[in-house]
């Protein structure tokens, strides 16, 4: 039997009354073999710090997540070929997606399109479906966004890489531009996985524990990702940054931004993009995107405001001892980067998050279904809830 990781004292804690009704915050419930999040060091993919991997090709990072080791050049070449073979969507899938309603948030369309894909192309094999979904998800996402937004992108080109293809297939005025390609690639790599307990991943694994197939489980994950406290935060953060820009103008001073933040807090209004359930430092994914913003887009009005929000927001929120994480998270800047690099459509940002996160969730589902507990798989999720009478509320 494979050696089990050491459980630290901190991990083996007793559940107390105050831990109940707290969204399972911080409870250890299982293992994750693809990634981990350290409160002070941030995100690791298979034990490697994510900032060290952002210049890798996306396929090399996905290989690492999938197989658990760094592939040789030959292995990566073969993996790329395999993904390309698996990538095309059937005509039937495309036709059915184009008949879905466009009402409501486009994440609903994206979740529904995963069910359609599974109905038509699912293999009922977690391993095969995992690789197929990783290969197909950029095409599916581009198809959904283009259909919803009325954009026209280019067709899939087997000579291009994973994200190069996506940047070309995604329509819009900057379709396929080098800036957009760079931003989408970075965004994609940074969002593949974030430990085992983020809401969409947890939900997907839970649904799969009832032996629902890969596509149904991922559709459920994407419904979880759609909420504003989870994946839709990137849309809300960009809209917040735009609102601040409209209110104070691009040349606002730091103290004007500080005053705006203080006023919003006094009026019980949200300051978007700060804090995280696990992190207690600036989200290293955000740091990477702030670096790109400073290097390439420092003169853009949105970036000027986003950078000032970062310093002033951290300063003001740090004054409150009750706020355990006053630092910006990835959503604080990811939407700004997508926007200034040529994709200024916030309603689609959560789909871009989903295209990436399905990679990690699918891999974690493979672990729980086929590898965990000496290959028996985790049993159906069934945590315990204590009965409480309503009068005692
Ligand atoms: C994520 O990337 O999923 C978010 O940062 C939320 C989380 O980790 O809980």
């Amino acid at each position: 039997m494979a050696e089990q990781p050491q459980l630290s004292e901190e991990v083996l804690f007793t559940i107390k009354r105050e831990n109940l009704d707290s969204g399972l915050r911080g409870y250890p419930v299982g293992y994750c073999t693809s990634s981990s999040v350290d409160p002070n060091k941030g995100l690791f993919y298979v034990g490697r710090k994510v900032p060290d991997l952002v210049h890798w090709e996306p396929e090399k990072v996905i290989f690492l997540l999938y197989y658990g080791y760094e592939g040789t050049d030959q292995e990566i070449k073969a993996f790329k070929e395999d993904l390309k073979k698996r990538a095309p969507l059937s005509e039937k899938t495309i036709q059915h997606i184009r008949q879905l309603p466009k009402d409501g948030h486009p994440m609903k369309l994206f979740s529904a399109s995963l069910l359609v894909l599974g109905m038509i192309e699912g293999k009922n094999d977690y391993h095969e479906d995992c690789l197929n979904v990783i290969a197909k998800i950029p095409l599916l996402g581009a198809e959904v966004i283009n259909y919803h937004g009325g954009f026209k992108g280019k067709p899939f080109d087997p000579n291009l890489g994973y994200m190069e293809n996506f940047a070309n297939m995604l329509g819009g005025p900057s379709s396929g531009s080098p800036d957009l390609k760079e931003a989408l690639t970075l965004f994609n790599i940074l969002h593949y996985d974030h430990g085992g307990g983020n809401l969409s991943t947890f939900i997907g694994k839970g649904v799969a524990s009832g032996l629902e197939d890969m596509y149904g489980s991922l559709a459920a994950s994407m419904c979880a990702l759609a909420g504003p406290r989870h994946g839709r935060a990137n849309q809300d953060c960009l809209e917040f940054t735009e609102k601040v820009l409209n209110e104070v103008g691009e040349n606002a001073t730091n103290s004007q931004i500080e005053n705006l933040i203080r006023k919003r807090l006094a009026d019980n209004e949200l300051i978007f993009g700060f804090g995280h359930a696990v992190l207690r430092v600036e989200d290293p994914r955000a740091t990477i995107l702030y670096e790109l913003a400073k290097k390439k887009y420092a003169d853009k009005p949105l970036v000027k405001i986003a950078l000032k929000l970062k310093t002033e927001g951290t300063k003001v929120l740090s004054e409150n001892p009750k706020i355990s994480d006053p630092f910006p998270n990835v959503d604080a800047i990811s939407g700004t980067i997508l926007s200034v690099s040529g994709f200024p459509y916030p309603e689609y940002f959560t789909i871009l998050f989903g295209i990436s996160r399905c990679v990690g969730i699918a891999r974690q589902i493979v672990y729980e279904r086929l590898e965990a507990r000496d290959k028996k798989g985790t049993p159906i999720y069934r945590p315990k809830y204590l009965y409480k009478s309503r009068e005692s509320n």
Side-chain angles (χ1 to χ4, degrees):
M1 192 175 136
E3 199 185 315
Q4 296 294 310
Q6 291 280 312
L7 293 176
S8 69
E9 284 301 312
E10 188 200 12
V11 172
L12 294 166
F13 67 93
T14 315
I15 293 177
K16 305 194 185 81
R17 202 167 285 276
E18 66 262 27
N19 300 124
L20 301 176
D21 284 345
S22 68
L24 289 167
R25 182 65 63 95
Y27 301 157
V29 292
Y31 296 105
C32 173
T33 60
S34 46
S35 69
S36 59
V37 184
D38 179 286
N40 300 310
K41 296 186 190 141
L43 177 58
F44 290 73
Y45 288 163
V46 193
R48 286 137 177 100
K49 270 193 187 153
V50 164
D52 296 342
L53 310 179
V54 291
H55 301 296
W56 286 15
E57 288 180 299
E59 294 93 327
K60 189 170 168 177
V61 184
I62 297 173
F63 185 101
L64 174 70
L65 289 166
Y66 193 84
Y67 291 103
Y69 69 94
E70 224 176 283
T72 62
D73 290 351
Q74 232 173 0
E75 283 172 318
I76 302 300
K77 193 165 171 261
F79 187 58
K80 282 181 176 172
E81 287 312 309
D82 186 37
L83 290 181
K84 277 177 194 168
K85 272 195 217 116
R86 294 172 184 270
L89 302 175
S90 73
E91 229 3 80
K92 187 171 174 186
T93 300
I94 294 172
Q95 288 318 321
H96 280 279
I97 289 173
R98 291 183 188 169
Q99 278 160 25
L100 289 169
K102 292 184 188 178
D103 308 56
H105 193 279
M107 270 304 275
K108 296 196 189 305
L109 187 61
F110 184 55
S111 305
S113 77
L114 272 158
L115 285 177
V116 169
L117 180 64
M119 287 161 79
I120 298 168
E121 303 188 38
K123 300 273 183 260
N124 225 359
D125 172 330
Y126 289 114
H127 184 267
E128 273 298 294
D129 285 332
C130 176
L131 287 169
N132 283 342
V133 103
I134 289 172
K136 289 174 189 293
I137 200 80
L139 285 83
L140 191 77
E143 177 58 43
V144 165
I145 295 174
N146 289 344
Y147 163 60
H148 189 274
F151 302 135
K152 195 165 165 32
K154 295 188 189 67
F156 177 74
D157 178 350
N159 299 312
L160 297 177
Y162 190 72
M163 270 294 116
E164 285 167 328
N165 241 321
F166 177 69
N168 274 356
M169 287 184 297
L170 183 66
S174 306
S175 172
S177 78
D179 285 348
L180 188 57
K181 233 175 254 180
E182 179 189 31
L184 287 171
T185 303
L186 195 52
F187 180 95
N188 190 253
I189 290 175
L190 291 175
H191 287 83
Y192 286 145
D193 215 17
H194 210 242
N198 65 79
L199 182 69
S200 48
T201 306
F202 181 73
I203 294 299
K205 291 186 293 190
V207 172
S209 78
L211 300 188
E212 168 61 340
D213 71 8
M214 181 61 84
Y215 293 90
S217 305
L218 288 175
S221 286
M222 292 302 104
C223 290
L225 191 73
R229 284 197 185 163
H230 192 13
R232 213 186 79 195
N234 59 10
Q235 168 177 349
D236 293 348
C237 281
L238 176 68
E239 287 167 353
F240 172 63
T241 311
E242 284 174 338
K243 190 169 183 291
V244 173
L245 173 63
N246 288 337
E247 256 177 71
V248 293
E250 65 171 297
N251 296 319
T253 61
N254 281 32
S255 58
Q256 272 177 295
I257 302 275
E258 178 185 339
N259 291 342
L260 180 144
I261 292 171
R262 289 194 191 282
K263 175 155 184 343
R264 280 186 74 94
L265 289 173
D267 294 345
N268 279 328
E269 287 180 303
L270 283 175
I271 307 298
F272 292 87
F274 289 84
H276 192 274
V278 180
L279 295 169
R280 295 295 170 263
V281 290
E282 179 174 304
D283 187 336
R285 299 172 297 176
T287 309
I288 291 164
L289 295 173
Y290 281 123
E291 277 163 16
L292 178 66
K294 281 190 250 173
K295 196 173 97 196
K296 275 186 78 168
Y297 303 108
D299 59 333
K300 299 273 185 192
L302 261 179
V303 169
K304 289 185 193 171
I305 295 299
L307 292 174
K308 287 190 173 130
L309 277 172
K310 163 181 143 92
T311 48
E312 298 313 304
T314 305
K315 185 170 91 188
V316 174
L317 297 174
S318 298
E319 291 167 6
N320 184 346
K322 288 199 191 126
I323 297 180
S324 47
D325 178 29
F327 303 105
N329 56 50
V330 68
D331 305 312
I333 181 69
S334 62
T336 294
I337 287 288
L338 292 169
S339 191
V340 298
S341 66
F343 195 71
Y345 307 106
E347 64 177 331
Y348 302 122
F349 290 176
T350 313
I351 298 184
L352 299 178
F353 188 161
I355 289 168
S356 169
R357 184 55 58 87
C358 276
V359 171
I361 301 175
R363 182 60 186 88
Q364 292 199 37
I365 288 174
V366 168
Y367 167 74
E368 288 218 349
R369 300 293 14 105
L370 305 177
E371 297 167 359
R373 295 173 78 93
D374 284 331
K375 302 196 166 85
K376 290 191 291 289
T378 57
I380 188 167
Y381 281 24
R382 186 53 173 98
K384 181 183 171 81
Y385 281 74
L386 307 178
Y387 175 72
K388 180 171 91 162
S389 83
R390 286 167 218 201
E391 286 78 61
S392 63
N393 264 330

